[in-house]
């Protein structure tokens, strides 16, 4: 099965992160992650979306979920005119290290972006 | 608890006729074991047994007030749904944010139980499909219920000096293992931040993100459900994020 891509654009404020979590839960379920692993994915998307948009409702978050046979990759992009480079707290770094296989957050053109990936256990 | 026989039914009839407080108290005392037994069935879901027993006693009081021996039912037949109804209402009123629809709250509570039961049965964390099949709902409903569980709060578990005998503070947890230097430095940086959490939340964050335990392992260690660990983690992270914003 070739990868399927889900795309979602939401305001950057915290109240809309529910949609990002629901989408990642659905995408994770399609890959075959367990209930607990899906909870990890929800934590990851929460942390990175918040770091990217800083909870600003004017910011627009564009999210892409790539649903693979045994792996999920999530990319986020946010245009942030004149905003400082997004940074992760030490705690956020520790959390992401625990819940996903790889992640990145940094500047991209006029905005900022993140990506993270998690593979099925044993794959 | 004594069997419910004709003499007891006679006392109920007498109470209905007189509304005597002495008879009412006597009937409550006679059936308090039933209320406590029902309260214990709902323990382990984020409310202390003491709180649940109090709620169950209120349910028992209502049952005593409303019971009509003329209808031919045994008192326990009438009292059990009244008491459990009171307990369930307590969970809803105390635990849920009002924006979560009642039907979804019910499903989320069932989900909590099913995750635990299925997890034990399978020996691993169940998939969403397995949960949907067990609950006889769609996978979408399971995902909605999972999200709705974030809206559930269980504040009684967070009070300092809660009844969790196994809870250990961050200091004790840090002293129990020997992580690498990088991890030590990281823990030093976040130590102050974690101090803003209750002892239980701090312990859960520590175990999950610094010691790498799964939610199920944490649940087993501190004797609460995996779903409760999930909810506490979500709330702890939200608190920590708010703290970072303040800083």
């Amino acid at each position: 099965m070739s990868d399927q891509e889900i795309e979602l654009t939401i305001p950057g404020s915290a109240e809309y992160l529910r949609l990002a979590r629901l989408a990642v839960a659905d995408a994770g379920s399609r890959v075959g992650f367990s209930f607990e692993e899906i909870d990890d994915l929800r934590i990851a998307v929460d942390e990175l979306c918040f770091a990217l948009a800083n909870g600003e409702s004017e910011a627009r978050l564009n999210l892409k979920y790539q649903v693979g046979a045994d792996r999920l990759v999530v990319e986020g992009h946010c245009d942030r005119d004149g905003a400082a480079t997004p940074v992760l707290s030490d705690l956020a770094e520790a959390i992401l290290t625990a819940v996903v296989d790889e992640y990145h957050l940094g500047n991209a053109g006029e905005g900022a972006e993140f990506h993270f990936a998690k593979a099925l256990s044993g794959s | 608890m004594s069997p419910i026989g004709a003499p007891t039914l006679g006392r109920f009839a007498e109470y209905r006729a007189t509304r005597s407080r002495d008879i009412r108290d006597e009937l409550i005392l006679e059936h308090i074991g039933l209320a406590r037994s029902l309260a214990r069935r709902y323990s382990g879901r984020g409310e202390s047994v003491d709180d649940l027993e109090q709620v169950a006693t209120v349910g028992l009081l209502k049952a005593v007030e409303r019971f009509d021996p003329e209808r031919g039912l045994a008192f326990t037949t009438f009292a059990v749904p009244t008491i459990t109804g009171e307990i369930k209402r307590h969970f809803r009123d105390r635990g849920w944010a009002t924006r979560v629809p009642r039907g979804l709250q019910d499903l989320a509570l069932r989900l909590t139980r099913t995750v635990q039961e299925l997890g034990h049965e399978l020996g691993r964390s169940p998939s969403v499909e397995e949960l949907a099949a067990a609950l006889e709902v769609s996978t979408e409903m399971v995902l909605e219920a999972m999200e709705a569980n974030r809206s559930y709060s269980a504040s009684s578990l967070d009070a300092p000096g809660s009844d969790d005998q196994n809870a250990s503070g961050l200091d004790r947890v840090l002293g129990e293992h020997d992580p690498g230097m990088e991890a030590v430095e990281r823990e030093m940086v976040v130590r102050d931040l974690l101090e803003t959490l209750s002892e239980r939340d701090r312990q859960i964050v520590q175990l999950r993100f610094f010691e790498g335990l799964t939610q199920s392992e944490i649940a087993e260690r501190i004797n609460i459900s995996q779903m409760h660990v999930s909810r506490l983690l979500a709330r702890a992270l939200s608190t920590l994020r708010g703290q970072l914003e303040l800083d």
Side-chain angles (χ1 to χ4, degrees), chain A residues 68-119:
Chain A
D70 57 4
R71 190 168 190 256
L72 178 69
V73 178
V74 180
E75 294 174 354
H77 183 271
C78 182
D79 288 324
R80 307 163 81 240
D81 293 338
T85 303
V87 287
L88 287 168
S89 67
D90 289 309
L91 180 65
E93 296 261 11
I95 289 167
L96 288 164
T97 303
V99 297
V100 294
D101 299 335
E102 59 178 76
Y103 66 91
H104 166 78
L105 173 74
N107 281 329
E110 296 295 302
E113 67 181 12
F114 73 73
H115 90 264
F116 71 82
K118 187 175 180 73

Side-chain angles (χ1 to χ4, degrees), chain A residues 6-72:
Chain A
I6 303 163
E7 199 165 342
L8 176 70
T9 302
I10 54 173
S13 55
E15 68 196 275
Y16 288 96
L17 294 188
R18 176 180 185 275
L19 294 171
R21 289 193 300 268
L22 272 172
V24 84
D26 186 89
S29 163
R30 288 170 194 278
V31 175
F33 287 110
S34 72
F35 190 79
E36 276 196 49
E37 290 167 326
I38 288 172
D39 217 36
D40 287 345
L41 293 169
R42 284 150 33 101
I43 288 172
V45 86
D46 227 24
E47 286 296 324
L48 284 163
C49 283
F50 192 83
L52 196 60
N54 204 25
E56 292 168 12
S57 55
E58 301 79 31
R60 302 290 292 173
L61 267 173
N62 179 251
L63 302 165
K64 287 179 185 169
Y65 305 83
Q66 290 165 23
V67 182
D70 57 4
R71 190 168 190 256
L72 178 69

Side-chain angles (χ1 to χ4, degrees), chain B:
Chain B
M1 188 173 54
S2 62
I4 315 296
T8 305
L9 285 175
R11 295 297 273 167
F12 275 112
E14 202 178 341
Y15 177 59
R16 278 185 77 82
T18 63
R19 291 294 168 189
S20 154
R21 287 206 159 207
D22 287 345
I23 299 174
R24 183 195 68 183
D25 293 350
E26 183 189 314
L27 289 167
I28 287 172
L29 276 176
E30 193 174 344
H31 299 96
I32 196 76
L34 173 68
R36 287 180 180 156
S37 159
L38 290 169
R40 283 193 292 275
R41 286 193 198 175
Y42 287 85
S43 64
R45 300 180 195 191
E47 295 283 35
S48 73
V49 172
D50 283 353
D51 285 350
L52 291 174
E53 285 186 356
Q54 276 185 26
V55 173
T57 306
V58 172
L60 174 61
L61 174 64
K62 288 182 179 174
V64 168
E65 290 289 344
R66 295 171 191 163
F67 180 61
D68 181 2
E70 304 272 323
R71 292 179 61 193
L73 282 177
F75 175 69
T76 47
T77 309
F78 179 78
V80 168
T82 308
I83 295 169
T84 53
E86 194 69 24
I87 294 170
K88 286 176 182 172
R89 207 163 19 253
H90 170 78
F91 272 103
R92 286 165 182 159
D93 295 346
R94 286 282 300 276
W96 291 99
T98 51
R99 67 180 181 280
V100 178
R102 180 61 57 85
L104 197 51
Q105 291 179 18
D106 288 337
L107 180 60
L109 285 174
R110 285 170 56 212
L111 177 65
T112 301
R113 279 198 299 277
T114 309
V115 165
Q116 200 160 8
E117 287 164 5
L118 211 51
H120 279 297
E121 196 179 311
L122 299 169
R124 60 171 168 77
S125 178
S127 70
V128 171
E129 284 77 14
E130 287 164 341
L131 289 164
L135 289 161
E136 298 180 328
V137 297
S138 65
T139 55
E140 285 78 12
M141 287 304 294
V142 173
L143 298 175
E144 278 281 351
M146 203 174 168
E147 181 65 25
N149 258 317
R150 287 176 66 100
S151 300
Y152 182 84
S153 69
S155 56
S156 65
L157 285 180
D158 301 324
S162 70
D163 58 358
D164 182 2
Q165 301 292 319
N166 298 317
S168 60
L170 178 64
D171 289 338
R172 278 173 58 196
V173 172
L174 287 176
E176 285 170 357
H177 71 301
D178 182 26
M181 280 306 293
E182 192 183 334
V184 170
E185 284 170 19
R186 183 176 286 163
E187 284 171 7
M188 292 294 282
V189 172
V190 300
R191 179 187 288 269
D192 287 348
L193 198 56
L194 295 184
E195 286 296 325
T196 61
L197 297 175
S198 71
E199 183 173 322
R200 179 191 290 256
D201 286 6
R202 197 161 61 236
Q203 183 194 22
I204 291 173
V205 168
Q206 173 73 20
L207 291 172
R208 178 68 192 93
F209 301 121
F210 294 93
E211 296 191 21
L213 269 67
T214 65
Q215 290 183 11
S216 297
E217 289 165 342
I218 296 169
E220 197 171 326
R221 185 180 288 201
I222 64 175
N223 199 27
I224 60 176
S225 73
Q226 181 263 313
M227 287 293 286
H228 201 101
V229 172
S230 169
R231 284 194 294 264
L232 293 178
L233 275 176
R235 194 192 41 196
L237 297 185
S238 173
T239 303
L240 291 170
R241 188 179 293 148
Q243 200 61 36
L244 279 172
E245 281 186 299
L246 287 176
D247 292 347

